[in-house]
């Protein structure tokens, strides 16, 4: 599902925040811009396990069974994968890599909030060579134990291989746990195991102990143990007009935040205690602008302030609330039109 901010509103958000993400020093896993003109609705990100610095992504809808490998060093597509053996994708919203080395693609969006009685997950091995190819993918039917719903976040646990989906709802969604192993013999029923805010994407840390969920205006991290959410905390995230995706770098040193749109930006933000990158600030015109931290509920975000930060936070909060109202109004209008 796409959400839009006015250009002036997005610019004001960037002006009011001063923090910027650190930059990796090895040429890979830096902030970058997706250069491929075919990728106009990047709705998911997954860091390659076989090809350092490469990120897998896909379009939102009306694109076909395609997955793209983008090199963070250049922003250029280095492989286009066509999935064979699956139906026509409806609304692809998430992508993740499991401990089995397979890519999991979530055709889980539902713009009408529960109009489809089932959705799909596609799975295929991550290609060992980066080149255009057609691969045979396995298709899994998915239903929810408590009824159909919209979702944009699909996460595969990096240790257990279990698949999780976070539903998307203005009033808060749910975290859904799939069966221990997906099956092609019938419906794979996902059951609600936790409550989450309005979510557009999510990602597990490489060790599986943290789950980060992002929304249009903020992000939160959760301790994750035995398949359940634990204590939560704010996570720095860039302001992006169409904030749709997030993944950890393969080494877990940073989060990569992506957005929709032609020539969209992917912004690196180092995590606390991460081993990658240095403390040098990126230029003020780096892709994605500044970073925000959601210190409370999912409805707003606070800029890092220092002395006098409370006034800056209040001003920023007012802007974000206004932007959120505009976004919600646009979303409702789109639903009515649908």
């Amino acid at each position: 599902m796409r959400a839009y901010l006015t250009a002036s509103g997005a610019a004001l958000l960037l002006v009011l925040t001063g923090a910027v993400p650190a930059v990796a020093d090895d040429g890979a896993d830096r902030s970058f811009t997706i250069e491929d003109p075919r990728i106009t609705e990047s709705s998911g990100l997954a860091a390659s396990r076989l090809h350092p610095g490469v990120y897998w992504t896909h379009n939102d809808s009306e694109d076909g069974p395609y997955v793209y490998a983008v090199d963070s060093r250049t922003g250029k597509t280095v492989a286009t994968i066509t999935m064979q053996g699956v139906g026509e994708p409806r609304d692809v919203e998430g992508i993740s890599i499991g401990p089995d080395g397979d890519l999991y693609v979530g055709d889980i969006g539902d713009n009408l909030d529960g109009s489809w009685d089932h959705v799909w997950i596609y799975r295929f091995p991550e290609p060992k060579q980066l080149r255009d190819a057609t691969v045979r993918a396995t298709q899994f039917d998915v239903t929810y134990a408590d009824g159909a719903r919209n979702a944009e976040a699909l996460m595969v646990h990096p240790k257990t291989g279990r698949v999780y989906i976070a539903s998307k709802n203005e009033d808060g969604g749910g975290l859904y746990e799939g069966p221990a192993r997906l099956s092609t013999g019938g419906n794979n029923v996902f059951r609600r195991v936790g409550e989450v805010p309005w979510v557009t994407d999510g990602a597990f840390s490489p060790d599986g102990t943290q789950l980060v969920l992002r929304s249009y205006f903020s992000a939160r991290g959760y301790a994750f143990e035995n398949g359940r959410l634990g204590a939560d905390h704010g996570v720095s995230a860039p302001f992006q007009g169409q904030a749709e995706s997030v993944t950890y770098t393969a080494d877990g040193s940073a989060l990569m935040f992506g957005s929709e749109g032609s020539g969209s930006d992917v912004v690196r933000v180092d995590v606390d205690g991460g081993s990658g990158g240095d403390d040098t600030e990126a230029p003020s015109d780096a892709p994605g602008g500044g970073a925000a931290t959601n210190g409370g509920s999912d409805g707003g975000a606070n800029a890092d302030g220092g002395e006098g930060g409370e006034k800056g936070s209040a001003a920023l909060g007012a802007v974000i609330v206004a932007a959120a109202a505009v976004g919600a109004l646009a979303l409702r209008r789109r639903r009515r039109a649908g």
Side-chain angles (χ1 to χ4, degrees), residues 153 155 157-158 164 166-167 169 171-175 193-215 218-236 246 248 255 271 294-299:
M155 300 79 61
H157 194 275
Y164 294 84
S167 66
N169 188 284
D171 299 322
L175 180 68
V193 294
E195 304 305 310
V196 298
W198 194 9
V199 175
T200 59
D201 201 14
F204 282 110
S205 59
D207 63 6
T209 64
Q210 296 288 319
L211 174 63
V212 169
L213 300 173
R214 83 167 302 181
S215 70
S218 58
R220 296 201 67 76
Y222 298 81
F224 196 83
E225 186 176 2
N226 298 324
R228 298 297 179 266
L229 298 172
D232 66 306
H233 58 277
V235 172
S236 294
V246 65
Y248 276 86
L255 287 159
V271 301
N294 180 11
S297 66
D298 194 65

Side-chain angles (χ1 to χ4, degrees), residues 105-333:
V105 181
D107 191 357
I108 56 176
D110 187 343
N111 292 345
L112 298 180
D113 285 331
S115 61
W116 296 326
D117 60 1
H118 71 280
V119 291
W120 299 302
I121 294 174
Y122 313 124
R123 186 185 71 191
F124 62 91
E126 182 178 13
K128 295 181 180 179
Q129 295 182 338
L130 290 175
R131 62 187 182 191
D132 293 353
T134 298
V135 302
R136 178 159 293 278
T138 302
Q139 177 174 303
F140 302 99
D141 292 342
V142 169
T143 59
Y144 300 96
D146 53 357
R149 59 205 58 246
N150 185 29
E152 294 192 6
L154 177 142
M155 300 79 61
V156 181
H157 194 275
K159 300 301 182 182
T160 67
R162 202 154 197 160
V163 182
Y164 294 84
I165 294 173
S167 66
K168 179 184 178 185
N169 188 284
E170 291 180 41
D171 299 322
L175 180 68
Y176 288 82
E177 181 182 71
R181 293 290 180 269
L182 297 179
S183 170
T184 58
N187 285 332
N188 293 273
V189 180
F190 279 61
R191 304 183 185 282
R192 195 175 186 120
V193 294
E195 304 305 310
V196 298
W198 194 9
V199 175
T200 59
D201 201 14
F204 282 110
S205 59
D207 63 6
T209 64
Q210 296 288 319
L211 174 63
V212 169
L213 300 173
R214 83 167 302 181
S215 70
Y216 291 125
F217 302 107
S218 58
R220 296 201 67 76
Y222 298 81
F224 196 83
E225 186 176 2
N226 298 324
R228 298 297 179 266
L229 298 172
D232 66 306
H233 58 277
V235 172
S236 294
F239 291 119
Q240 295 171 304
Q242 295 169 248
E244 286 283 341
S245 57
V246 65
T247 187
Y248 276 86
T249 55
D251 64 2
S253 65
L255 287 159
M256 304 292 282
F257 292 90
S259 59
E260 285 191 357
S262 179
S264 60
D265 296 324
V266 177
V267 180
R268 174 190 172 102
V269 177
D270 284 353
V271 301
D272 292 339
S275 59
D278 53 35
D279 294 329
T280 303
E281 290 189 348
S284 60
D285 60 349
T293 300
N294 180 11
S297 66
D298 194 65
N302 295 327
D304 294 326
E307 292 186 9
E310 292 183 1
K311 293 181 180 179
S313 295
L316 178 59
V319 172
I320 292 175
V321 169
V326 172
L329 179 60
L331 184 63
R332 291 191 183 98
R333 287 177 176 173

Side-chain angles (χ1 to χ4, degrees), residues 50-67:
L50 298 178
H51 310 288
V54 168
Y55 290 84
W56 294 96
T57 189
H58 52 80
N59 279 315
D60 184 340
S61 58
E62 300 178 359
D63 182 42
Y66 307 118
V67 178

Side-chain angles (χ1 to χ4, degrees), residues 78-100:
V78 291
T80 300
I81 303 301
T82 302
M83 293 182 291
Q84 191 177 61
V86 302
E88 184 67 25
R90 289 185 299 205
D91 192 354
V92 179
E93 292 287 357
I95 188 169
S96 186
I97 297 181
D100 52 8

